[in-house]
Amino acid sequence: MTRPRVAVHKFSSCDGCQLAFLNLGETLLQLNEQVDILHFLEAGMNDASADVDIAFVEGSLSTPDELTRIRQVRANSRYLVSIGACATSGGLQALRNLDGNHDEWRDAIYARPEFIRTLKEVRPIAAEVRVDLELWGCPVSSTQILAAIRALLFGVAPVDDRDRVCLECKRQQAVCVMVTQGIPCMGPVTRTGCGALCPRFGRDCYGCYSPSETAQTATLARRFSGLGLLPDAIARRFWLINSQAPPFLQTGRVFHRSAASDPDD
């Protein structure tokens, strides 16, 4: 029988989510005995136009060339899986969407801006093509990737865990930093997947995974206000890794407008 074919594609990103594959170590070698990895530049395989069963895509869409390329990846793939915050919500690159002065920033940063071809706004993969599965995180976890591959190879739907980080903290017996120390924490509105890594080491969650299911962002923002955060600081809490995820984007806008209307705040 023909072995399933897999590709890993990079778009605008830092390569951190591709490293989640390489960090599998020996498990990646075992996986390579079950599937044919045809394209994965980080690991030395280069066949970007290969027809595959599963295509993993890291990174956001930031240039016109990337729009063309992602359409080709979609056409060549049975399943397309976006991995990491850049691919699922635009990531840190999407912070420039909030300013609206694309040309001014480009001209200020680059010595020869006439050679720079970028989109006016950064887009997640799902904004341009159909995505079969989104794996959130900055970076995505190796465990998530391996579980998704195994599920897809067996023809079952991968589990989409939307539990909040708070629930993972309880499972890990981590002390709540917001309750015990008064530290503003994004855990109540952020989905787990990280294993509650930051709270287990005594620091707040900063929302590197996506909004959790039924995320009560407005309620958490009011709690942040009660802890002493000013409106603009609250907006920045939501406008960080996943600024374009709708619940985070909307709540950030509310408090950003509040800060703008009261410059003394």
Side-chain angles (χ1 to χ4, degrees):
M1 294 179 62
T2 302
R3 295 196 300 182
R5 295 158 298 180
V6 174
V8 182
H9 294 272
K10 170 186 164 57
F11 288 76
S12 294
S13 62
C14 70
D15 290 23
C17 291
Q18 291 182 82
L19 289 177
F21 273 94
L22 299 181
N23 287 340
L24 287 170
E26 186 175 341
T27 303
L28 180 60
L29 298 179
Q30 295 170 352
L31 177 65
N32 197 43
E33 295 175 356
Q34 300 173 317
V35 303
D36 289 326
I37 303 177
L38 302 183
H39 177 73
F40 187 4
L41 286 178
E42 194 91 357
M45 287 80 86
N46 183 10
D47 189 358
S49 61
D51 289 326
V52 297
D53 297 290
I54 307 173
F56 290 92
V57 177
E58 174 198 66
S60 63
L61 304 174
S62 300
T63 69
D65 290 343
E66 288 181 333
L67 296 183
T68 301
R69 190 154 58 91
I70 192 58
R71 296 184 195 116
Q72 190 61 53
V73 170
R74 175 68 271 184
N76 293 347
S77 311
R78 181 182 178 191
Y79 296 111
L80 191 151
V81 181
S82 57
I83 58 173
C86 294
T88 52
S89 71
L92 289 175
Q93 300 95 284
L95 288 172
R96 68 177 172 87
N97 295 1
L98 303 173
D99 184 78
N101 293 319
H102 167 269
D103 292 348
E104 291 182 16
W105 281 105
R106 180 200 59 201
D107 295 349
I109 292 171
Y110 295 100
R112 300 295 299 274
E114 64 270 22
F115 294 116
I116 305 300
R117 298 181 68 244
T118 54
L119 299 173
K120 293 293 185 181
E121 290 192 343
V122 172
R123 306 177 193 175
I125 301 301
E128 189 65 26
V129 298
R130 177 175 56 84
V131 171
D132 299 295
L133 176 66
E134 293 181 327
L135 298 179
W136 297 72
C138 185
V140 69
S141 78
S142 301
T143 302
Q144 285 178 295
I145 287 177
L146 190 59
I149 292 175
R150 286 175 172 168
L152 291 172
L153 291 182
F154 280 100
V156 299
V159 175
D160 187 15
D161 188 354
R162 298 186 182 184
D163 276 353
R164 293 168 294 155
V165 171
C166 291
L167 296 179
E168 185 63 27
C169 279
K170 294 182 184 298
R171 288 192 284 263
Q172 298 282 347
Q173 299 184 2
V175 176
C176 178
V177 297
M178 190 151 61
V179 171
T180 61
Q181 302 179 53
I183 299 175
C185 178
M186 291 287 287
V189 298
T190 303
R191 79 161 68 189
T192 187
C194 60
L197 181 63
C198 291
R200 285 195 290 112
F201 284 88
R203 66 148 294 169
D204 55 296
C205 166
Y206 56 93
C208 67
Y209 278 67
S210 74
S212 60
E213 192 169 23
T214 64
Q216 301 297 318
T217 54
T219 300
L220 182 64
R222 288 194 295 271
R223 178 60 180 143
F224 285 172
S225 181
L227 291 172
L229 288 188
L230 297 177
D232 200 41
I234 294 173
R236 286 197 298 271
R237 286 275 170 163
F238 290 94
W239 285 353
L240 186 58
I241 305 294
N242 290 295
S243 66
Q244 301 302 296
F248 289 178
L249 178 62
Q250 180 179 357
T251 300
R253 280 175 173 165
V254 169
F255 283 84
H256 181 68
R257 285 197 296 265
S258 176
S261 63
D262 189 357
D264 293 330
D265 249 352

